[in-house]
Amino acid sequence: SGAGKSQTIEHLVIPIFSSRFPFATIANETHYTLAHNSNATNMTPVCYDEYKNSVLTPSSKRIIDNVLLATYAQTPIERGRADKSIANYQFTAPFILAGEMTIDSTSLNHRRIDVFFSRSKREGSEESFKRLIKQPLGSFGKALLDHTLQLGPSRLCQELDNQSSMVDPAIDDRFRD
């Protein structure tokens, strides 16, 4: 408590990735919202806070464990719609789960990265953190992506146009623009 987990995600991770996802409490999320958000991207992390397995219901724990396993294994789920059609959700987004406790599931032990925060180790770094979060982190995220891809903006647009032209217009389940 008070070690800086939420502040780090809210003021560093989300701006760097220019995330449009809400930073929500995991206990308030349904299986559908977890699936919908995790299906929307394969780069921008979805971030959830306040994971406390001691206060979660067994059903909620099972849903969270299943979503984390599906994210790791890239296993899709199917959800029915009101019109009797079926929607497929692929768990492709990186998943950040902040909380006071670790996950109990042994099947997730080697499939996650734990980052521990400590209030005592944070002492004296508050001013540095405040200076850091005032930086243009969205620009940093874009520069990091450009560096990783090793493409300039014009080349990136050209590649996007090339890929878009290869998608058959008859395929209507993919965005073309």
Side-chain angles (χ1 to χ4, degrees), residues 3-19:
K5 298 176 297 296
S6 301
Q7 293 291 320
T8 300
I9 292 169
E10 187 173 349
H11 296 294
L12 291 177
V13 174
I14 291 174
I16 286 173
F17 285 96
S18 301
S19 178

Side-chain angles (χ1 to χ4, degrees), residues 86-173:
I86 295 176
N88 287 310
Y89 294 96
Q90 184 77 32
F91 294 94
T92 54
F95 204 95
I96 295 177
L97 183 60
E100 311 276 322
M101 308 171 124
T102 60
I103 299 166
D104 288 340
S105 174
T106 53
S107 60
L108 290 169
N109 283 345
H110 68 285
R111 297 177 172 140
R112 69 176 193 246
I113 299 171
D114 291 331
V115 178
F116 296 98
F117 286 72
S118 166
R119 188 185 300 183
S120 63
K121 290 184 180 179
R122 188 187 80 165
E123 287 182 24
S125 64
E126 289 87 358
E127 288 305 314
S128 297
F129 184 79
K130 287 177 184 175
R131 282 195 310 274
L132 180 61
I133 64 175
K134 289 181 182 176
Q135 302 304 310
L137 297 173
S139 300
F140 173 71
K142 171 91 168 62
L144 185 61
L145 180 61
D146 286 345
H147 175 74
T148 303
L149 294 173
Q150 297 182 349
L151 302 172
S154 62
R155 173 90 190 276
L156 187 59
C157 288
Q158 178 186 0
E159 289 297 325
L160 183 61
D161 289 341
N162 289 343
Q163 295 299 317
S164 180
S165 69
M166 293 190 306
V167 176
D168 186 338
I171 300 174
D172 60 0
D173 66 340

Side-chain angles (χ1 to χ4, degrees), residues 26-28 50-61 64:
I26 191 74
N28 296 337
E50 298 298 324
Y51 179 79
K52 296 178 182 173
N53 60 7
S54 62
V55 296
L56 291 170
T57 65
S59 174
S60 293
K61 283 187 207 178
I64 294 166

Side-chain angles (χ1 to χ4, degrees), residues 14-34:
I14 291 174
I16 286 173
F17 285 96
S18 301
S19 178
R20 68 188 194 298
F21 297 110
F23 184 35
T25 301
I26 191 74
N28 296 337
E29 298 298 306
T30 64
H31 197 248
Y32 170 76
T33 58
L34 291 170

